[in-house]
Structures are given as structure tokens and as C-alpha cells.
Amino acid sequence: MRCLKLWHMIKIRIDKPGTLAELRACYANKLNTVSMGARRKANNAKKKFMALVQAQAMAQGKPIDAKADAIMVLCLCLPRIDWDAPVKAICDALQSVALGSRDDAQIKFAWVFLTRPSKRKKRKPYIEATFYNSRTERGAALAQCEKLLNHCVSLSGHDCL
């Protein structure tokens, strides 16, 4: 009998509307704005988003060991955004929950998958991040990426290609 060892993986889901709304206010590209007022507003929104994530994130599994490199698989279902805008804010917010070192520099490999919410299809916005230990869980990370890629392509309507 073969036993799967998944103690190196942690999956975190964020789907509270207030937390997702706060993410829109703290996109990373707004943090480099010229206006001091806009920068303060974005920094305050980022702090609030990080606090909300730490309080509300639904985590399954244990944090990645601080000495191990991490693989992050990020699935975003968010309306009208650039895919790169919220990634840094999400990494900063999740590092204290998912990583043993509390430093997102531990993430050495990352994949991001983006879909859009739909009222017609009852698909609600969410963020789901899965972190794997790169030494022991590469196969599981690749399997998750293949599953998410197939799911995203089928949602786009281009699965016949």
C-alpha cells in the first residue's frame, strides 16, 4: 500500500468579499505612485488586506519548512484586473501563513492562473494559493498546474484547440 505524503503542502483559500475588495485598493503598481497621499492610502490598504488575510484565510496543511524552497501555485478568479497587479500583495499577505521563514523570498517557483467570475455561471471571486516544498512535492505541484490549466482553458471556451 502506497501512502501519499502531503505534509509539505499548504492550501489557502480567500473568498470573503470584503477581503477581495480591499485587495483592489492595494495593487502593487499603486504603491509606486508619485503622490504621497495616494501612496499612503495604498500602503494602508495593503496593511489592512494583510491583516484580513491572516485573520480569515482558510488554510489546510502545515507551513512550508523555513529551510526549503517553495513552489507557489496561485489561482485567481478576480474581475477586471491585470494578472500581475495583486500577486505581490497576495505573496506578502500569505507569507506569514504559508511559509516558515515569513519571507516571500523563499518562493523560488510560481505559477499564476487567472479566470474571471461570472454571474451567469455562478462563479464567485476567490483566491486560492497552494504552496509546495520544492524538494519533495514537485510532482504534486506539476499535477496541480496541469489540472488548473485544463480547468482555465475549458472555462475560456478554447478547449477544442
Side-chain angles (χ1 to χ4, degrees), residues 9-14 53-63 94 96-98 129 131:
M9 179 195 77
I10 182 168
K11 181 184 268 188
I12 301 163
R13 184 173 178 93
I14 304 163
V53 166
Q54 291 170 7
Q56 298 175 351
M58 296 174 279
Q60 300 171 347
K62 295 181 182 177
L94 293 178
S96 64
V97 179
F131 293 84

Side-chain angles (χ1 to χ4, degrees), residues 20-105:
L20 296 174
E22 200 62 44
L23 175 64
R24 293 184 69 92
C26 68
Y27 285 161
N29 55 359
K30 288 185 181 178
L31 296 176
N32 295 325
T33 186
V34 176
S35 166
M36 285 301 291
R39 189 176 302 147
R40 277 193 204 103
K41 185 177 178 182
N43 282 326
N44 288 337
K46 186 173 179 181
K47 287 178 187 175
K48 188 174 180 182
F49 172 72
M50 289 173 67
L52 285 170
V53 166
Q54 291 170 7
Q56 298 175 351
M58 296 174 279
Q60 300 171 347
K62 295 181 182 177
I64 303 297
D65 181 29
K67 296 176 184 168
D69 292 340
I71 300 170
M72 179 180 73
V73 179
L74 185 60
C75 184
L76 304 173
C77 185
L78 297 172
R80 290 186 239 116
I81 63 160
D82 294 333
W83 71 271
D84 61 335
V87 171
K88 181 61 179 162
I90 291 168
C91 287
D92 288 344
L94 293 178
Q95 70 189 7
S96 64
V97 179
L99 304 175
S101 69
R102 309 294 190 253
D103 182 13
D104 64 358

Side-chain angles (χ1 to χ4, degrees), residues 107-146:
I107 301 169
K108 300 295 183 189
F109 315 98
W111 286 281
V112 179
F113 297 90
L114 175 65
T115 58
R116 304 286 184 212
S118 171
K119 289 182 183 176
R120 250 184 332 171
K121 297 179 182 173
K122 297 182 181 176
R123 197 168 45 240
K124 299 199 182 292
Y126 67 90
I127 298 167
E128 190 170 276
T130 311
F131 293 84
Y132 298 90
N133 184 320
S134 67
R135 292 183 200 151
T136 58
E137 297 294 323
R138 286 185 209 144
L142 287 171
Q144 177 70 12
C145 287
E146 182 179 13

Side-chain angles (χ1 to χ4, degrees), residues 141-155:
L142 287 171
Q144 177 70 12
C145 287
E146 182 179 13
K147 180 180 152 189
L148 286 171
L149 181 61
N150 289 334
H151 176 71
C152 291
V153 169
S154 69
L155 288 177

